């Protein structure tokens, strides 16, 4: 048994070895036609085998034939394959039949017409119960689409069952797995078709029918973890379902219900195949992630076909900004992105329209905007418009052209109108570690109060922009700041590396051309360099109107030409400045230092004019030639200023005959400014407008500040009177002023007086003068009257008060008392002694003539003259007057002087030589400038006549 079993095993081994090796040495050429016929029967198309044929029996019967051609060359569904492999049924093969159990085409190169023609009909013989065919390492062309590395399995359960396909291929570099089911075509050639495709980034399923000559119609469902991997779209999971149709020209999916990253949408996708492939996408959504779409479109430059995207959404979120009513289209081809018909609604109801295209990494856009409340739109973008004038940036419209690149964003063109404001310009922003912004703008009217934020600090703003380089060119027809208007303004400035450079700021301000430049270093500390300022104009009239106060408005000085020059530099703690100013012939030279943080500074000034009287006339309208004299004007002062005010540590003033020096300090930190110091004058000429002048004296202006000034003058001249060695204390307050402790030498005597003034709001000033002149000597006529004091010495006491703005008003309201106590004087214009002696003459007529002559001429020396007078409403009434002449003759004085009207009515009564005779009188009446002297001798004449 053992030998028999061993022999049997050896026999089986030899048989197996023969079955394994034997077929390799057998010529199978006679089987070529049978194999071709068998393949033709299974595939329904003619099959030609041109290559060698081999049979392998073990481990299973397999026939391999090379040089495979299916179908007639040039007809539909014809193709070639590198190898045909047929797995045979072993039992049928032993029985002399070829029964295929699997057919495989290796390396097939198949071109399928699109749309499909008459479908491939697999018509197996009736004794075949199933089909199992494979396609390995093939290439399939469907229209312009090429599927590489196709490996598929085709199975069919029978004549009435569909053809099932499953496998994998590579398309456009993506590995794809698929399953498909192709139903048997009906009498009309229409076959059902269902296919599922699985990629790493997409899962798709399509079901429908294949229509010969037309294509495919059915439904499609697509989903995936990230839509951005297959389309230029935001990243995120997606799902879509809708109707799918395919033809030779178009593959379209419409009526799509889409969900992208959890957001529902509707849309359609169409792949146009002719004349060239193109993908069109239309999407309608309630809300879109615009950041993702914009980023995807900018990055999606390597797509195999041109792509057109049409988006529509009720709302979209872009960089945190909610946009509404979004519409737009984008077209991507050969790396070029074209945007068209983009419109959206910004917050504030601003309509924005965009269109543009890319060139490489460059995106060019044209934008138009219009809205009723641009302020709200800009605020929503995070711009600080809340601090601007609330009426600014409301209704407006404009147009701009933008060029966006990786390294910069440029705005070559910009025009806009905001209400009545017109703006145009261009700009560029260069990206990098230190961004650089260049901006050029033209504006018709720039109101700084409206455009500058409240509490704007240019230094703080410059520091805030320290991380950005900025170049700014600004041109404006008019720049307004309050009442100041700068015409034809031009600004050229830069902020680079912590340095704020003002290359030039120029314009015309109030008829004066100005220009300034300089550099402000922001770090490590603020430092001003190369400051230059110039202003020139033919007239300063409009410029001085911008200065606070009423002076020198509407004066001749304001009509003069003006020139200003200022230069300097340094840190803010020690800023050195120097400059000159010329106003007509008036020239100011100044230099000093400023401590800006502490608001302190020292300044030396020199002010000069060749003619002091002319300066007073041009600056104040005063005629100073008579009282000031002729000569130049100069003021040299050393000033110091700080938070509490300004002080002149020393000053020297020369104005024709006026010579003064001293020190002054103005404290502005008090509730009312206070002026203190001392003024010493060698010569102090004062104007005297005349007693009948109607112009206000300007006393009310003294209410503007408090003061305590020590005044000294070697010589004071006013109205023809001259005082020497004058000293006084000037006190100013809100209630009025006081010239206290006034002492001076006047007419050889000593004057002591006090002048006070009350200046209540709404009321005329009230002045009071009280004092006494002692030891004065009179050496010439005092009043210029027909009867006048020609010489005397003595004392004068006075107490006077008046109310009014002008000298004429003060004279009209003058009241008070006046006392004269004169000695050893001369009364010119009458001869009391001669009149008394003439009254004793024997001839009455001759005596009367002599008396009259003596009363109208000559002079009277007197030993004493005493007068008591009262003033009321400007009328001087002599209450008591007594004259004692040399030789014992006496006289009394009486009468009244009307100062406002300049008229007088005075009467002098002298005693005659005969004691019992009536008094001899002289009356002065009429205008004070030319009174009439009327002797009164009628009483004496009657008395003499009665005596016979």
């Amino acid at each position: 048994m053992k030998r028999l079993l061993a022999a049997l095993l050896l026999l089986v081994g030899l048989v197996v070895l023969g079955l394994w090796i034997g077929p390799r040495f057998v010529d199978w050429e006679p089987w070529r036609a049978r194999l071709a016929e068998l393949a033709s029967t299974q595939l329904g198309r003619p099959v030609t085998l041109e290559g060698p044929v081999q049979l392998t029996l073990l481990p299973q019967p397999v026939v391999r034939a090379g040089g495979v051609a299916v179908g007639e060359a040039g007809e539909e569904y014809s193709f070639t394959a590198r190898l045909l492999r047929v797995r045979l049924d072993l039992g049928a093969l032993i029985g002399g039949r070829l029964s295929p159990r699997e057919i495989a085409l290796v390396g097939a190169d198949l071109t399928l017409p699109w749309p499909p023609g008459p479908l491939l009909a697999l018509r197996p013989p009736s004794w075949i119960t199933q089909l199992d065919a494979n396609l390995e390492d093939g290439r399939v062309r469907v229209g312009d689409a090429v599927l590489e590395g196709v490996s598929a399995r085709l199975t069919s359960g029978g004549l009435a069952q569909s053809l099932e396909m499953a496998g994998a291929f590579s398309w456009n570099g993506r590995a794809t797995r698929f399953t498909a089911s192709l139903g048997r075509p009906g009498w009309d050639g229409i076959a059902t078709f269902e296919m599922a495709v699985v990629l790493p980034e997409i899962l798709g399923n399509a079901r429908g029918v294949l229509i010969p000559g037309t294509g495919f119609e059915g439904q499609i469902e697509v989903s995936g973890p990230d839509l951005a991997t297959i389309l230029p779209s935001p990243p995120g999971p997606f799902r879509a379902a809708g109707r799918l149709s395919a033809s030779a020209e178009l593959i379209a999916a419409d009526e799509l219900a889409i969900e992208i990253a959890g957001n529902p949408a509707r849309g359609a996708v169409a792949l146009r195949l002719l004349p060239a492939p193109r993908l069109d996408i239309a999407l309608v959504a309630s809300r879109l992630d615009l950041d993702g779409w914009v980023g995807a479109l900018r990055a999606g430059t390597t797509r195999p076909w041109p792509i057109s995207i049409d988006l529509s959404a009720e709302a979209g979120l872009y960089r945190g900004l909610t946009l509404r009513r979004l519409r737009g289209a984008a077209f991507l081809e050969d790396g070029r992105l074209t945007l068209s018909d983009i419109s959206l609604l910004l917050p504030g109801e601003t309509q924005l329209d965009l269109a543009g295209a890319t060139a490489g990494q460059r995106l060019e856009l044209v934008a138009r905007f219009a809205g009723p409340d641009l302020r709200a739109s800009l605020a929503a973008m995070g711009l600080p418009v809340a601090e601007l004038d609330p009426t600014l940036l409301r209704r407006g419209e404009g147009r701009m052209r933008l060029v966006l690149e990786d390294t910069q964003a440029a705005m070559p063109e910009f025009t806009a109108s905001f209400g009545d404001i017109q703006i145009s310009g261009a700009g560029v922003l260069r990206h990098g570690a230190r961004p650089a912004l260049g901006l050029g703008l033209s504006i018709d009217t720039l109101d700084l109060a409206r455009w500058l934020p409240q509490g704007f600090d240019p230094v703080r703003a410059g520091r805030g922009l320290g991380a950005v380089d900025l170049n700014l060119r600004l041109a404006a027809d008019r720049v307004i700041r309050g009442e100041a208007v700068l015409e034809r303004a031009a600004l050229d400035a830069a902020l680079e590396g912590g340095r704020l450079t003002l290359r030039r700021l120029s314009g015309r301000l109030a008829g004066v051309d100005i220009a300034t430049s300089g550099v402000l270093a922001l770090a490590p500390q603020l430092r001003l360099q190369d400051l230059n300022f110039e202003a020139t104009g033919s007239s300063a009239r409009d410029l001085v109107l911008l200065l606070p106060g009423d002076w020198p408005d509407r004066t001749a000085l304001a009509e003069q030409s003006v020139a200003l020059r200022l230069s300097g530099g340094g840190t803010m703690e020690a800023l050195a400045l120097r400059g000159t100013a010329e106003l007509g012939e008036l020239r100011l030279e100044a230099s000093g230092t400023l401590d800006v943080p502490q608001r302190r500074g020292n300044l030396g000034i020199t002010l000069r004019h060749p003619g002091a009287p002319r300066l007073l006339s041009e600056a104040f309208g005063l005629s100073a030639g008579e009282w000031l004299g002729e000569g130049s004007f100069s003021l040299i002062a050393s000033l110091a200023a700080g938070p509490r005010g300004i002080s002149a540590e020393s000053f020297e003033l020369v104005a024709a005959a006026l010579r003064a020096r001293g020190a002054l300090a103005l404290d502005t930190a008090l509730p009312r400014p206070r002026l203190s110091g001392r003024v010493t004058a060698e010569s102090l000429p004062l104007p005297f407008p005349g007693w009948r002048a109607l112009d206000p004296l300007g006393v009310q202006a003294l209410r503007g500040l408090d003061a305590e000034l020590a005044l000294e003058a070697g010589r004071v001249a006013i109205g023809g009177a001259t005082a020497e060695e004058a000293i006084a204390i000037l006190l100013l307050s809100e209630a009025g002023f006081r010239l206290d402790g006034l002492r001076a030498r006047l007419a050889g005597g000593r004057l002591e007086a006090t002048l006070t003034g009350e200046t209540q709001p709404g009321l005329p000033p009230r002045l009071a003068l009280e004092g006494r002149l002692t030891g004065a000597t009179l050496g010439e006529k005092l009043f210029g009257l027909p009867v006048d004091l020609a010489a005397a010495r003595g004392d004068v006491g006075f107490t006077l008060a008046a109310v009014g703005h002008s000298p004429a008003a003060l004279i009209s309201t003058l009241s008070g008392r006046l006392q004269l106590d004169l000695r050893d004087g001369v009364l010119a214009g009458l001869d009391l002694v001669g009149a008394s002696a003439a009254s004793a003459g024997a001839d009455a007529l001759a005596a009367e003539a002599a008396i009259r002559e003596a009363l109208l001429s000559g002079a009277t020396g007197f030993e004493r003259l005493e007068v008591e007078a009262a003033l009321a409403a400007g009328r001087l009434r002599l209450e008591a007057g007594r004259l004692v002449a040399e030789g014992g003759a006496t006289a009394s004085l009486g009468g009244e002087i009307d100062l406002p009207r300049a008229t007088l009515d005075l009467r002098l009564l002298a005693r005659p030589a005969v004691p019992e005779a009536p008094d001899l009188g002289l009356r002065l009446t009429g205008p004070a400038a030319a009174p009439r002297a009327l002797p009164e001798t009628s009483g004496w004449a009657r008395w003499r006549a009665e005596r016979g």
Side-chain angles (χ1 to χ4, degrees), residues 273-284:
L273 303 175
L274 296 176
R278 168 174 164 169
L279 181 62
D280 295 331
I281 302 173
L283 188 64
V284 178

Side-chain angles (χ1 to χ4, degrees), residues 834-888:
S836 177
S839 65
D843 187 348
L845 293 177
E848 183 178 3
I851 291 172
R852 295 177 67 88
E853 182 179 356
L855 292 176
L856 295 175
S857 61
T860 300
F862 60 87
E863 296 178 356
R864 195 173 189 87
L865 175 61
E866 298 176 349
V867 176
E868 292 278 347
L871 285 150
R875 301 174 72 88
L876 177 68
R877 182 171 57 84
L878 300 181
E879 295 180 340
R882 179 172 179 272
L883 184 144
V884 179
E886 294 178 353

Side-chain angles (χ1 to χ4, degrees), residues 189-251:
I190 298 176
T192 61
F193 180 75
E194 182 176 352
M195 182 176 182
V197 178
V198 179
L199 285 84
E201 57 277 300
I202 189 172
L203 174 63
N205 182 280
R207 64 180 64 88
V209 295
L210 289 174
I211 304 175
T214 300
F216 174 83
E217 291 186 3
Q219 300 293 320
I220 186 173
E221 293 181 3
V222 182
S223 62
D226 191 355
L227 182 62
T229 59
I230 58 174
L231 292 175
S233 63
F238 69 98
R239 182 183 300 274
R243 190 167 64 90
L244 177 65
S245 63
S247 66
E249 298 180 355
L250 179 66
I251 301 175

Side-chain angles (χ1 to χ4, degrees), residues 87-114:
R87 182 170 62 85
L88 301 175
D89 182 83
L90 181 60
L93 182 61
I94 294 174
R97 301 190 310 272
L98 296 179
S99 177
R101 286 291 176 255
E102 179 185 89
I103 297 179
L105 293 173
V106 181
D109 192 347
L110 175 63
T111 299
L112 298 178
W114 190 262

